[in-house]
Amino acid sequence: MVRRQQAADRAQRPKMRSPGRWGFPRRVEREFWQQISRGLRTAEAAKAVGVSEVIGGRWFREGGGMPPMSLTELTGRYLSFVEREEIAVLRAQGHGPREIGRRIGRDASTISRELRRNAATRSTNPGYRASTAQWKAEIAAKRPKKAKLVMNPRLRGYVQERLDGSVRRPDGTAIPGPETPVWKGLNKPHRADRRWSIAWSPEQISHRLRVEFPDDESMRISHEAIYQSLFIEGRGALKRELVTCLRTGRALREPRARSRNKPQGHVSADVVLSERPAEAQDRAVPGHWEGDLIIGTGRSAIGTLIERSSRSTLLVHLPRLEGWGEKPPVKNGPSLGGYGAVAMNAALTVSMTKLPEQLRKTLTWDRGKELSAHAQFTLDTGTKVFFADPHSPWQRPTNENTNGLLRQYFPKGTDLSRWSAEDLEAVALALNNRPRKTLGWKTPAEVFSEQLQLFQQPGVATTS
């Protein structure tokens, strides 16, 4: 009777097929994406989970930089690999589904289905093996659904038109824009023309649908679903080259944690902002500076140094080096734009060493690589360098405010290399002689002069 029932069950079941080539367990790929979400590079994440860089790169590329699965671990509702190993051992010992279920704490019907569905079928020794069962269960669990944009041509047309539509004049005529190279699936071109398009962001498209189709629930899609259709291979809804219509133009999504974790080897634990002396914070003691660059066209820049107590401004002349624009750049060679690490150190050293030693205690900079040789600068000038936290301009407020004032004289999009050191000195003089509300309407020059006189008095103790 039992054999007859089993034969009837087999007759009703579809023919078992091979689920495809063997792959890594899904838990390994999930762990890989967890490492990516922590900010690791692709090669580092692959090494951490024990797969090759090629496999890790393929996972990242096929996912468009986005995890194609949930990163949360499966609940206890599903059989784990450990439980499947116990099932395989107990089955090999001759126990039936009821006994196996009692021993591992599962229902007998669960064990019966597991033995029937996930047994090895292409082997000289057919039977139940944990690795094969886990593999087949993961293949069956994928159950890929068609994307909403594939199922709804009207919605797909709306999204694609807002991404891909051409820019038009007020009279409706299209503007072709620049000629761009054929898209090859790579990230945005570096310093090259990009095609002009309407280029609404996925979030703008998602929210605009509710405005234009308030009563049509079929015209709804989240911005995340649009991003997935653009970045993840195999979605088939939107053309991959439409990523060039996004503001960033990236062909792969950059994980948020990775963007916050860019390599900054020049910033060690002893030069972060939290290590700066407390006296620099309250501005009561002079000699603590904030610094940055204002950037112009053609790799031109001007260095800005602001004293926190008096708000005095020093402008650092950064001329282009010999050979700039005449010979091609050398990989890993010196920067000829004027603000490479070597040129920056030399220019800053000249400016800072003109000051008394008591007025050059610390310098707070952003995370720019132009000050990567800060250790040598500290040895040459005695000025300790500290770096603000990433994406935290408010930690250098005086410098940011002064840079805004300087844009009156050095607007964005202009060539800053045309100004001589004497020109910069004149602009600094103009700023330093403007009265400031925060100084009780004194000028920075007046306050700075008082500081100099204080340090020049004999017998005055200093805190340097």
Side-chain angles (χ1 to χ4, degrees), residues 5 140 151 196 215-216 290-291 315 318 331 346 385 422 455:
Q5 183 63 40
M151 302 292 290
W196 288 7
D215 302 321
D216 190 351
E290 296 175 6
L315 296 184
L318 299 172
K331 185 176 181 180
V385 177
E422 291 75 17
F455 286 119

Side-chain angles (χ1 to χ4, degrees), residues 258-421:
R258 181 182 291 183
S259 66
R260 298 194 188 109
N261 193 29
K262 292 186 183 295
Q264 295 174 328
H266 64 288
V267 182
S268 54
D270 60 327
V271 294
V272 295
L273 189 69
S274 58
E275 298 297 319
R276 190 176 66 176
E279 66 179 30
Q281 182 64 30
D282 58 15
R283 303 175 185 267
V285 178
H288 300 282
W289 297 77
E290 296 175 6
D292 196 9
L293 296 177
I294 53 175
I295 306 296
T297 58
R299 300 287 293 173
S300 60
I302 296 173
T304 62
L305 295 172
I306 319 298
E307 205 276 318
R308 285 177 57 84
S309 178
S310 65
R311 278 70 171 181
S312 295
T313 300
L314 287 179
L315 296 184
V316 182
H317 187 224
L318 299 172
R320 296 190 181 111
L321 302 187
E322 184 180 354
W324 186 90
E326 300 175 0
K327 51 186 178 181
V330 179
K331 185 176 181 180
N332 296 326
S335 172
L336 302 180
Y339 56 97
V342 176
M344 194 72 204
N345 260 17
L348 279 181
T349 300
V350 170
S351 297
M352 292 297 288
T353 50
K354 294 178 180 178
L355 301 170
E357 184 179 354
Q358 298 91 337
L359 288 180
R360 40 187 167 96
K361 298 185 177 75
T362 68
L363 172 62
T364 303
W365 206 267
D366 67 359
R367 295 282 175 124
K369 291 292 185 67
E370 64 273 3
L371 213 59
S372 56
H374 60 87
Q376 185 61 46
F377 171 76
T378 299
L379 288 176
D380 294 340
T381 64
T383 305
K384 181 69 174 176
V385 177
F386 297 94
F387 292 94
D389 297 331
H391 316 296
S392 303
W394 58 87
Q395 295 178 347
R396 300 176 297 102
T398 310
N399 187 229
E400 290 292 329
N401 178 66
T402 305
N403 286 352
L405 299 177
L406 286 168
R407 284 301 185 183
Q408 177 181 354
Y409 306 95
F410 311 113
K412 293 181 180 180
T414 60
D415 184 4
L416 304 183
S417 65
R418 54 187 168 150
W419 307 114
S420 65

Side-chain angles (χ1 to χ4, degrees), residues 33 47 56 105 130 134 143 157 168 201 253 271 302 317 332 403:
W33 285 107
K47 183 178 179 180
Q134 182 72 18
R143 291 195 298 272
R168 296 182 179 275
S201 72
R253 195 178 221 179
V271 294
I302 296 173
H317 187 224
N332 296 326
N403 286 352

Side-chain angles (χ1 to χ4, degrees), residues 436-452:
R436 301 288 185 92
K437 180 179 179 179
T438 189
L439 299 176
W441 302 112
K442 290 183 178 181
T443 66
E446 291 171 344
V447 177
F448 194 72
S449 178
E450 292 173 0
Q451 294 172 352
L452 285 175

